[in-house]
């Protein structure tokens, strides 16, 4: 087999370090192709097997290979090389996959970006990454002062944008081992740039595949955006396993149910907001059986409320499996048990370790809440540019910014985001304030933030709620009854809806400005 030498180098043992340890993680023993070799590997196995399904027709590995070769030719003609970075601005589509695999095969790296990015956001991402090639859908707004060439590949129109070569810096990719340049979501501030190598990406989808026993007979339905780390995990796992993949280009509950009924997926990826909307949408005749073929319904990127999970299960008879991870660590844990507890995100994937630290970097015992640390071959080692802060790592454990605890059986529970505020000399945990409000009032999101009032530090609470009768005084009164005086918010703002990214996470950086 033409990839034997490569697989011998990259193949994973897929065995737990302690196979007798208790847990809910399954294991299998196999080898998987690395990202740059996925397409070539499956061409040697079964070129006619459907690899990707579009709205119009299924594409076999051979069909996909033809499109990838066409994209490679176009890139070569424009001076693209293994030292280049190709930015990808596509919604979920076969075009994203084609250009991604073309860059990989050429030994280059990619920068997935949100196709709905504003012009300033896009320009910032391109400048910070050093990319001077951008592939996008036709009609995408070009960055200023760029040139583009329109190409046609089997009826699918794609625009290719090329920035002028900087004679003093013709090779913009400074890391020859890089595979994916990726920005964090920016939900809590300026996006941070990470660079992933092939080994890290391989480990991410490999430990997912072995934990869930993914096979070539599986059928992946990807609903979240595949430019995001969670969606990309599903894309790589589907491609690497030889499964057939269908991705939804725009989330509409009726379209998801229609597609699930006809495609009969065995693995589905969705976010908590998507699960909530599917659990509450109108059902036509037969829709309740839309997910009857599914083995694993995977949910990640944010907290899944138990009420949402229970309603989805009641409606479709399908348990939702909650996964935990971050852009910094990629997939880290998953809960495969049927005993769902809100906040519980399960056991580490094979090869991943979890530890809880206090604010001084000391490891905590079971049941103690602190800062979550993840040690994984898939985790990033640092942020990649001067605009990103230093990535915090303690004893080899990446600190992604979440707070949680491990119970005595080894399950991880996430209670919220990290961060203790100093308010008038007192230490205030925003999670405590958020928990009080969420437990007593009909709210869908609570953001607890510091602000300055008359030169003094204070607490600001921003709430998303559809309860139009809810008033700021109601929230303040509740907090006065339940919390110490220095923890009571000085200002409360209530909105019917807050800006969210395509995964449904509230973008704290987009919150309304601090109003007097």
């Amino acid at each position: 087999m033409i990839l034997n030498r490569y697989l011998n180098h990259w193949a994973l043992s897929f065995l737990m370090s302690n196979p007798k340890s208790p847990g809910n993680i399954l294991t299998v023993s196999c080898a998987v192709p690395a990202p740059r070799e996925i397409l070539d590997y499956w061409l040697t196995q079964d070129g006619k097997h459907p690899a990707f399904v579009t709205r119009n027709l299924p594409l076999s590995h051979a069909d996909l290979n033809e499109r990838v070769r066409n994209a490679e030719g176009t890139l070569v003609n424009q001076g693209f090389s293994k030292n280049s970075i190709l930015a990808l601005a596509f919604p979920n589509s076969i075009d994203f996959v084609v250009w991604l695999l073309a860059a990989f095969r050429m030994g280059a790296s990619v920068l997935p970006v949100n196709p709905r990015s504003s012009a300033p956001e896009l320009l910032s991402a391109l400048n910070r990454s050093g990319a001077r090639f951008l592939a996008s859908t036709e009609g995408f707004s070009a960055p200023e002062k760029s040139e583009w060439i329109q190409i046609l590949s089997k009826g699918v129109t794609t625009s290719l944008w090329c920035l002028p070569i900087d004679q003093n810096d013709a090779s913009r990719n400074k890391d020859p081992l890089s595979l994916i340049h990726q920005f964090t979501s920016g939900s809590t501030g300026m996006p941070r740039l990470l660079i992933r190598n092939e080994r890290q990406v391989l480990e991410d989808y490999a430990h997912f595949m072995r934990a869930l026993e993914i096979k070539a007979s599986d059928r992946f339905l990807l609903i979240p955006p595949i430019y995001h780390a969670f969606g990309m995990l599903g894309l790589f796992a589907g491609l690497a396993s030889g499964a057939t993949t269908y991705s939804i280009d725009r989330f509409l509950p009726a379209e998801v149910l229609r597609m699930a009924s006809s495609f009969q997926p065995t693995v589905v990826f969705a976010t908590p907001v998507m699960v909530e909307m599917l659990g509450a949408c109108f059902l036509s005749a037969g829709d309740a059986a839309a997910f009857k073929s599914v083995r694993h319904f995977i949910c990640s990127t944010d907290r899944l409320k138990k009420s949402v999970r229970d309603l989805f299960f009641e409606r479709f008879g399908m348990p939702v499996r909650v996964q935990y991870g971050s852009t910094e660590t990629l997939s880290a844990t998953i809960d495969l048990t049927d005993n769902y507890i809100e906040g519980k995100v399960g056991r580490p994937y094979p090869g991943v370790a979890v530890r809880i630290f206090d604010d001084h970097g000391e490891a905590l015992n079971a049941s103690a809440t602190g800062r979550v640390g993840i040690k994984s071959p898939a985790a990033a080692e640092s942020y990649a540019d001067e605009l990103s802060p230093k990535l915090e790592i303690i004893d080899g454990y990446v600190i992604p910014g979440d707070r949680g605890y491990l119970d005595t059986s080894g399950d991880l529970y996430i209670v919220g985001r990290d961060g203790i505020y100093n308010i008038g000399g007192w230490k205030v945990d925003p999670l405590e304030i958020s928990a009080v409000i969420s437990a007593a009032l009909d709210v869908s999101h609570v953001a607890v933030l510091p602000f300055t009032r008359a030169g003094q530090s204070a607490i600001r609470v921003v709430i998303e709620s559809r309860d139009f009768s809810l008033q700021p005084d109601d929230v303040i009164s509740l907090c006065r009854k339940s919390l110490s005086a220095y923890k009571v918010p000085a200002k409360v703002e209530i909105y019917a809806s807050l800006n969210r990214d395509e995964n449904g996470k509230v973008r704290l950086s987009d919150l309304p400005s601090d109003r007097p």
Side-chain angles (χ1 to χ4, degrees):
M1 194 178 300
I2 64 172
L3 295 180
N4 276 346
R5 63 180 177 84
Y6 190 88
L7 291 174
N8 287 338
H9 177 68
W10 283 104
L12 302 181
S13 63
F14 287 170
L15 296 176
M16 296 288 285
S17 58
N18 180 6
K20 295 183 180 181
S21 63
N24 57 18
I25 297 295
L26 305 171
T27 61
V28 297
S29 179
C30 64
V32 294
R36 296 194 190 280
E37 309 295 335
I38 285 175
L39 183 54
D40 288 331
Y41 175 78
W42 284 106
L43 280 171
T44 66
Q45 303 300 306
D46 184 1
K48 295 182 179 180
H49 182 73
F52 210 88
V53 177
T54 70
R55 290 179 179 272
N56 301 318
L57 75 165
L59 294 174
S60 67
H61 288 104
D63 296 330
L64 184 57
N65 180 61
E66 182 180 351
R67 294 193 180 198
V68 170
R69 290 295 186 194
N70 289 338
E72 286 181 77
T74 299
L75 289 171
V76 168
N77 290 338
Q78 298 305 315
F80 189 86
S81 71
K82 66 179 181 180
N83 295 320
S84 302
I85 304 167
L86 177 63
L88 304 171
F90 294 100
N92 287 8
S93 64
I94 187 61
D95 299 292
F96 181 100
V97 179
V98 166
W99 291 88
L100 175 93
L101 295 178
F104 283 0
R105 184 182 271 168
M106 296 176 69
S109 56
V110 300
L111 169 71
V113 296
N114 185 345
R116 298 181 181 178
S117 298
S118 66
E121 288 174 328
L122 177 61
L123 287 172
S124 174
L126 293 172
N127 291 334
R128 289 174 64 185
S129 68
R132 69 176 191 87
F133 292 88
L134 168 66
S136 68
T137 55
E138 185 184 27
F140 183 83
S141 297
E144 295 179 2
K145 299 181 181 179
S146 65
E147 300 175 354
W148 59 277
I149 300 172
Q150 192 176 52
I151 65 167
L152 191 66
S153 176
K154 295 185 74 67
V156 179
T157 304
T158 300
S159 296
L160 180 64
W161 310 81
C162 307
L163 297 179
I165 297 177
D166 184 342
Q167 297 299 325
N168 297 319
D169 189 15
S171 176
R172 301 300 301 274
N173 186 9
K174 300 301 183 182
D175 185 352
L177 298 179
S178 68
L179 184 78
I180 298 174
H181 297 240
Q182 193 161 39
F183 284 94
T184 60
S185 65
S187 60
T188 58
M190 177 181 286
R192 301 170 182 184
L193 177 61
L194 295 159
I195 297 179
R196 304 200 181 283
N197 61 40
E198 194 166 15
R199 183 67 180 82
Q200 292 166 334
V201 176
L202 170 61
E203 172 61 29
D204 184 42
Y205 63 77
H207 67 217
F208 173 85
M209 288 167 58
R210 59 178 145 154
L212 275 66
E213 295 188 314
I214 301 301
K215 307 177 181 68
S217 57
D218 277 309
R219 300 167 68 83
F220 277 66
L221 178 59
L222 304 182
I223 311 175
I226 56 179
Y227 67 80
H228 185 273
F230 177 49
M232 199 168 288
L233 166 63
L235 175 64
F236 282 133
L239 291 172
S241 64
T244 304
T245 300
Y246 186 99
S247 64
I248 300 291
D249 57 356
R250 181 184 178 191
F251 176 69
L252 295 171
E255 173 66 10
V256 171
L257 294 175
R258 184 192 68 79
M259 196 59 227
S261 296
S262 60
F263 182 60
Q264 306 246 322
T266 59
V267 181
V268 177
F269 276 54
T271 67
V273 168
M274 294 169 181
V275 173
E276 182 175 11
M277 293 179 69
L278 287 168
C281 71
F282 172 78
L283 292 184
S284 300
D287 283 346
F291 300 116
K292 66 179 181 181
S293 58
V294 175
R295 294 196 300 123
H296 300 294
F297 196 108
I298 312 298
C299 180
S300 190
T301 74
D302 207 350
R303 190 181 189 90
L304 177 67
K305 292 184 177 180
K306 188 176 187 303
S307 58
V308 170
R309 185 264 186 192
D310 289 348
L311 180 60
F312 185 90
F313 181 79
E314 179 182 343
R315 171 171 271 199
F316 298 108
M318 171 56 54
V320 177
R321 306 304 187 189
V322 173
Q323 175 188 272
Y324 168 72
S326 67
T327 309
E328 290 83 356
T329 65
L330 298 182
S331 55
T333 72
I334 190 167
D335 183 13
L336 297 178
T337 66
D338 291 329
N339 178 28
Y340 182 71
I341 301 172
E342 187 171 331
K344 178 183 174 185
V345 293
R347 306 285 178 86
Y349 279 108
V352 178
V354 178
R355 186 174 292 178
I356 308 298
F357 298 91
D358 65 16
D359 294 334
H360 304 289
E362 297 296 326
L364 296 173
N365 295 325
S367 302
T369 298
R371 308 177 72 199
V372 175
I374 304 294
K375 180 183 287 186
S376 169
E381 298 174 356
S382 65
Y383 291 118
D385 71 349
E386 65 278 2
L387 295 180
S388 301
K390 182 178 179 181
L391 180 62
E392 188 173 3
I393 301 176
I394 302 176
D395 295 335
Y397 288 80
V398 173
I399 309 299
D402 292 304
R403 292 177 68 84
Y405 64 91
L406 290 166
D407 67 13
T408 55
S409 64
D411 283 307
L412 176 63
Y413 291 73
I414 299 297
V415 299
R417 290 293 292 175
D418 196 7
I420 301 296
Y421 304 142
N422 189 323
I423 305 297
W426 297 91
K427 298 296 184 182
V428 175
D429 187 345
L431 302 176
E432 180 183 8
I433 301 172
S434 176
V436 166
I437 296 172
S438 297
L441 302 174
D442 182 15
V443 298
S444 52
H445 188 83
V446 179
V448 179
L449 306 167
F451 83 109
T452 300
R453 182 182 62 172
Q456 301 295 318
S457 56
I459 292 294
R460 171 194 180 203
V461 171
V462 179
I463 292 174
E464 181 183 70
S465 176
R466 300 271 178 98
D467 181 359
F468 298 108
S469 66
L470 183 63
Q471 299 297 316
D473 287 346
D474 299 331
V475 179
I476 293 174
S477 176
L478 169 67
C479 291
R480 282 177 177 157
K481 294 177 182 177
S482 308
L483 299 167
S484 300
Y486 64 89
K487 300 178 184 178
V488 175
K491 179 166 58 175
V492 175
E493 301 164 26
I494 303 174
Y495 299 88
S497 64
L498 295 170
N499 289 344
R500 296 175 181 266
D501 63 22
E502 289 185 287
N503 281 321
K505 294 177 66 174
V506 170
R507 290 177 55 93
L508 295 182
S509 56
D510 290 348
L511 284 177
S513 60
D514 187 10
R515 302 182 305 190

